[in-house]
Amino acid sequence: MRSELFSPEHQEVQTNDRWALQSKRMLRCRLNPGAPEIVSSSGAMVAYQGEMKFKYQGSGGGMKLVKKLATGEGANMMRTTGNGEIFFAKNGSQIFLIQLEGEALSLNTSKMLAFDSSIEWDIKMIGGGLGAGLVAGGFTNLFLQGHGMVAITSHGEPLLLDCSQQPTYVDPQAVVCWSANLQPQIKNDFNAGALIGRGSGEAFQLAFHGPGFVVVQPAEY
């Protein structure tokens, strides 16, 4: 049997690394008994080899539970343990690995693919409260901090913007992640009358300004 399908570039990456990119659009993680669990976006698993166990990622109780009930975030994460290899992907998006070494990162929840369970996480609401978040379409973000690997996705080649020199405004659907020290605010450039019957996707932006970065994808979803 002959086909380009069987070329080396399509074969499994052979490595003992816990986290490795199989390709730009597929992540391969190695799990061993006793190793930390992997927290992933529900539905991101596309294949696995060996023995794996999956369970729902709970809210963690307290304020996390309140935020989860209010926003719906945190309900679509799974925890995986096992012995073997597991593969993750999300709608053909490009995947990027970020090693946290005690730092923190704010992430658009829809761009989260997977992270080590050793990393602490929380649900944050943009714009100073739940009401403001709902006005902007219910946008929330995932705050990650600690030591471990994070896998994020971008639909297309991402752009890294420096927010330290001047204010930076980003479509909430295009933002991927940003420096955790930045506190984005919701900005509205349109009056209500101008939006009637238009359904503009540019009605609201996230405003960033300060020492740090924001990553933007070339797509609005």
Side-chain angles (χ1 to χ4, degrees):
M1 189 179 296
R2 297 181 181 179
S3 172
E4 291 185 6
L5 180 64
F6 305 122
S7 64
E9 64 185 283
H10 297 145
Q11 295 175 20
E12 180 182 352
V13 173
Q14 298 299 322
T15 176
N16 291 323
D17 293 342
R18 175 173 164 86
W19 297 76
L21 290 179
Q22 170 68 41
S23 69
K24 287 186 177 181
R25 294 174 173 81
M26 189 173 295
L27 172 66
R28 174 185 183 271
C29 294
R30 176 181 292 276
L31 282 167
N32 299 302
E37 297 173 306
I38 289 178
V39 181
S40 66
S41 176
S42 182
M45 186 277 293
V46 295
Y48 67 88
Q49 296 176 310
E51 298 294 329
M52 298 290 165
K53 292 183 179 180
F54 306 93
K55 63 181 179 181
Y56 163 67
Q57 163 65 66
S59 64
M63 284 306 297
K64 282 185 182 178
L65 176 60
V66 173
K67 294 172 186 176
K68 177 190 142 185
L69 292 175
T71 65
E73 300 296 349
N76 298 317
M77 293 193 287
M78 301 295 293
R79 299 178 75 95
T80 304
T81 57
N83 186 18
E85 296 79 36
I86 185 168
F87 300 86
F88 296 105
K90 184 182 285 187
N91 300 322
S93 294
Q94 293 193 49
I95 301 170
F96 295 88
L97 297 178
I98 301 174
Q99 178 73 52
L100 293 184
E101 298 175 329
E103 305 95 342
L105 179 72
S106 289
L107 176 64
N108 182 336
T109 51
S110 67
K111 306 307 174 190
M112 188 277 286
L113 183 65
F115 59 89
D116 279 317
S117 62
S118 57
I119 294 175
E120 297 181 1
W121 65 275
D122 197 6
I123 299 166
K124 303 284 187 177
M125 287 167 279
I126 302 298
L130 177 59
L134 290 176
V135 168
F139 184 81
T140 61
N141 67 283
L142 192 64
F143 179 84
L144 303 173
Q145 184 174 27
H147 292 79
M149 193 72 77
V150 180
I152 67 173
T153 63
S154 172
H155 193 82
E157 292 287 348
L159 171 67
L160 179 69
L161 296 173
D162 181 1
C163 305
S164 63
Q165 301 302 312
Q166 58 186 340
T168 302
Y169 304 95
V170 180
D171 188 306
Q173 294 179 318
V175 67
V176 175
C177 63
W178 61 91
S179 300
N181 61 289
L182 295 177
Q183 300 297 321
Q185 299 298 314
I186 294 174
K187 187 174 186 292
N188 180 8
D189 284 335
F190 296 84
N191 60 52
L195 295 176
I196 295 177
R198 296 177 183 270
S200 173
E202 284 71 41
F204 299 95
Q205 303 93 44
L206 294 181
F208 299 87
H209 193 198
F213 65 87
V214 61
V215 177
V216 183
Q217 67 176 17
E220 297 181 353
Y221 61 86

